[in-house]
Amino acid sequence: MIQLSLKSHAADSSLDYVKLKSRLTAPNGASTSSQYEPITYNAEKELITLRGSAKAVVEQAKKELQDLIRIHSERKSRSLSRESVSDLDFEPSGPRGSFNESLERQKIFPVNPKDDRRLVAVWFKHILPALPKILRSRVGANYSASLVRQGEVNFRATPCIELACPYIPGPEAQTVIKDMVKDVCVKANHEPISVRFSQGKVRSLAGIQVNDDDDAQEDLDKQKYQWNLTRPCSKLRMGASLGLLSSRNVSATLGGFVLLDGEKYMLTSEHFVTESQKVANTDGDDTDLETLTSPSRCDLCWQAKSLDQSLRDQESVFDRQLKVTYGDQEIPIDPHYLSSGCKENDDWLERIRNLLNQLRKPPKEYGIGRVIKRSKEPIEAKIPDSIADVITRSGNRLDRVMYHMDWSLCELNGQARVSGENRHKYQSESDAKAADYIEEQDQRYQPGDVCYRTCAVEPGIEVYYVGQGSGYRKGIVNIPSLVSRDSIVTYAWEMIDSTGMKLSNSQVQGDSGAWVLKRNGNMVMGQVHSLSSGLIQFTPIDAIFADVSRNCGLEVKLPPHASDEEPRTEAQPLCSISQTPHLRPLDFLAPIYTPKAAVDWGPPPDFSFLENGEAGPSYWNTFRYESLP
């Protein structure tokens, strides 16, 4: 009798008697170990014992049992009970670690046609046309479907369809949807793509202020950063705070400026105007439903309240400083008689009071213009060449898609028309955070580069925008997603945050209307309107310009840069290489090092002996070098 014992898999202490028995039971109920002697399990010692009359038989049984344990270990996370995950948005995503830990490590990466050509072709040619029919009767009239790559790192990320809807379908409906998507992939000769469900909806990004009492205390640095972005500015620029005069609780972001028939106008989002007008009767004190202000009234109110507290804080500091410095002395009520420290604090208090008075001006004085045209319905537009080339090569002739339109065209008043520029208030995010939020005229910080060109949308390109909710946000463009709003199906381009993490609505609320710019070249690519599945959605700027032109009957273009300013939008080489060198190698050292004596090279060597077959000289001319100092 041969007896072998092996330890239960160390990484799987849950492999007890019951699980072991189930692993050794065939689907028909018969035991797979009947050909061997009985296999025993010691629970206390966690030992599995095999017995048999022949060594070869026992060794074979041991190998098969080890394989069973290994397979069980590899599938452990995937074999989590359905009862424990049936209410979750996503499926378990990895063979190691708990489900929650693995999900926290997941990042979102874009699908790039250059690297995933076949996947992109299948998405556009097969999956997108089939999704409305698959989803309409199973998730309702409102949903979004995005194709991304998910994983802990980029090179290990796998394709996945992110499906967001207001109510997550039940397990059986999820299975039906996954199977139908799988069938589409199989018919397209492509491996199945996983589908993940999340509860949510497409959220428009107009900022809606909530009750101040419910707001959490903001970080001071973030508060200063937001203050610098929203405070009144003598020059109107991209990314500025925007609101409707009749609404105190809704805000958005100024996109940029365009020319129509030589006249300057401003573009922002449409839904922000609609939301403002809805609440105008309840929260506004003005019946004007078209006039725009910058900053918005809610931002002006927030700044005034914040500044009020800053003033109280600074007055307390000043009072304490006077007591410490002068004690019981009587001092003249004249800043000239104060010590340098007290005078500095007094000057600071005066600047705060001046800014506070500015913020409390009548809201009409912050008016910049009126809304004159708004988008009405989705439009059909040409798909960018970066995608069209991939689809065409796959044998599909699709070259036009439907885009969601969300824009408002605004006529500017005199001052705004003159000062409005397509550049951001600050050159960089660090400047916006470091600037003095009391003193607007800070010469240390220059405005951003002028933006005077547009570009087509291209997946995988690095982009950024400045929004009133986010501040400076950068990311990477992903391929278009499918969005259904009350059964109206359109396409939306997506921006994945540079961190690879999904964004929450609170992080980006107020970004609506911001222009998405290509980082290399500072060219306008699109305009932000929504958030879905944690990804920013935007519409290509060329499609928006085409719709504005169709509604106004005029050509739309960006204002040119000023003739006296050379825009810094092109990457400059760090060095240049001349085709014909002007100096011999190391000649650049001549001004620095001067040899003590010239080098004597002697007469040139005679190589005639090589042609005549003769032996060479026993030695050649001697060279003398003197080391450099």
Side-chain angles (χ1 to χ4, degrees), residues 77-92:
S77 64
R78 293 197 295 266
S79 65
L80 290 172
S81 64
R82 289 294 176 183
E83 292 77 17
S84 64
V85 297
S86 60
D87 294 330
L88 297 175
D89 292 354
F90 305 101
E91 294 180 280

Side-chain angles (χ1 to χ4, degrees), residues 557-575:
K557 59 183 180 180
L558 294 179
H561 62 85
S563 57
D564 60 343
E565 177 184 9
E566 186 64 28
R568 302 186 300 275
T569 57
E570 295 296 333
Q572 299 295 327
L574 296 179
C575 61

Side-chain angles (χ1 to χ4, degrees), residues 473-522:
R473 186 170 297 282
K474 56 185 178 180
I476 302 177
V477 178
N478 190 39
I479 62 173
S481 61
L482 190 73
V483 179
S484 177
R485 295 176 175 86
D486 296 329
S487 296
I488 299 176
V489 178
T490 58
Y491 287 64
W493 285 86
E494 295 177 326
M495 169 181 155
I496 298 175
D497 190 70
S498 59
T499 62
M501 306 306 295
K502 292 185 177 183
L503 299 170
S504 66
N505 187 59
S506 61
Q507 291 177 282
V508 294
Q509 193 175 45
D511 289 351
S512 179
W515 278 5
V516 178
L517 305 182
K518 184 178 179 181
R519 292 189 67 189
N520 183 18
N522 211 43

Side-chain angles (χ1 to χ4, degrees), residues 9 22 106 111 121 140-141 156 165 169 171-172 256 258 266 308 312 319 342 353 383 418 425 464 474 515 579 614:
H9 199 283
S22 67
Q106 294 288 308
V111 174
R156 295 182 59 185
C165 45
E172 292 184 2
V258 295
M266 186 200 71
D308 260 333
R312 289 190 290 267
D319 289 342
C342 291
R353 292 189 188 99
I383 197 167
V418 173
K425 185 176 180 180
Y464 77 97
K474 56 185 178 180
W515 278 5
Q579 297 295 328
E614 302 174 359

Side-chain angles (χ1 to χ4, degrees), residues 71-348:
I71 294 172
H72 175 81
S73 176
E74 290 176 349
R75 295 180 177 174
K76 180 182 177 183
S77 64
R78 293 197 295 266
S79 65
L80 290 172
S81 64
R82 289 294 176 183
E83 292 77 17
S84 64
V85 297
S86 60
D87 294 330
L88 297 175
D89 292 354
F90 305 101
E91 294 180 280
S93 56
R96 293 183 177 85
S98 69
F99 169 59
N100 288 333
E101 291 175 352
S102 179
L103 199 59
E104 289 175 358
R105 292 194 301 267
Q106 294 288 308
K107 288 187 176 182
I108 307 294
F109 300 97
V111 174
N112 193 334
K114 295 179 181 178
D115 304 323
D116 306 296
R117 182 173 295 272
R118 175 61 180 158
L119 176 63
V120 172
V122 170
W123 174 248
F124 275 95
K125 184 178 179 181
H126 301 279
I127 299 178
L128 284 180
L131 279 180
K133 185 177 180 180
I134 294 174
L135 300 176
R136 178 65 181 89
S137 61
R138 294 172 177 85
V139 300
N142 296 284
Y143 59 82
S144 69
S146 306
L147 179 63
V148 297
R149 295 186 302 113
Q150 285 191 341
E152 297 180 16
V153 290
N154 194 357
F155 70 91
R156 295 182 59 185
T158 57
C160 171
I161 298 174
E162 285 277 357
L163 182 59
C165 45
Y167 303 98
I168 299 178
E172 292 184 2
Q174 290 187 29
T175 301
V176 171
I177 293 171
K178 293 174 184 178
D179 289 343
M180 295 182 76
V181 173
K182 179 180 178 181
D183 291 342
V184 172
C185 293
V186 171
K187 290 179 181 179
N189 296 320
H190 192 278
E191 61 183 9
I193 303 174
S194 64
V195 179
R196 298 178 186 267
F197 296 86
S198 62
Q199 186 173 9
K201 61 180 181 179
V202 179
R203 295 182 178 273
S204 298
L205 294 181
I208 300 179
Q209 189 181 42
V210 296
N211 191 329
D212 291 343
D213 296 335
D214 297 332
D215 288 344
Q217 181 66 33
E218 287 187 293
D219 177 78
L220 291 178
D221 289 337
K222 181 180 179 182
Q223 192 178 46
K224 179 182 176 182
Y225 180 35
Q226 290 296 118
W227 174 275
N228 286 336
L229 293 176
T230 58
R231 83 180 301 279
C233 184
S234 59
K235 293 185 178 180
L236 201 58
R237 288 179 173 148
M238 299 166 61
S241 170
L242 198 64
L244 210 62
L245 179 62
S246 57
S247 174
R248 292 178 295 181
N249 284 348
V250 183
S251 65
T253 298
L254 190 156
F257 304 95
V258 295
L259 292 181
L260 278 77
D261 196 25
E263 291 291 327
K264 186 185 295 183
Y265 295 83
M266 186 200 71
L267 271 180
T268 187
S269 67
E270 188 279 334
H271 75 264
F272 134 73
V273 178
T274 300
E275 291 297 325
S276 299
Q277 292 178 345
K278 283 180 182 179
V279 299
N281 293 332
T282 58
D283 76 344
D285 52 15
D286 198 303
T287 57
D288 188 340
L289 300 179
E290 305 295 339
T291 297
L292 292 166
T293 67
S294 181
S296 67
R297 291 187 64 181
C298 64
D299 282 330
L300 285 170
C301 180
W302 167 74
Q303 291 175 66
K305 290 181 179 179
S306 300
L307 207 58
D308 260 333
Q309 184 58 50
S310 296
L311 183 61
R312 289 190 290 267
D313 293 343
Q314 198 66 26
E315 286 174 343
S316 299
V317 172
F318 185 58
D319 289 342
R320 180 176 179 81
Q321 188 178 31
L322 287 176
K323 292 177 182 178
V324 171
T325 305
Y326 298 102
D328 197 28
Q329 299 180 40
E330 293 185 4
I331 56 175
I333 306 300
D334 188 337
H336 295 290
Y337 292 95
L338 295 176
S339 66
S340 58
C342 291
K343 189 176 186 304
E344 183 178 344
N345 273 333
D346 184 67
D347 292 342
W348 182 252

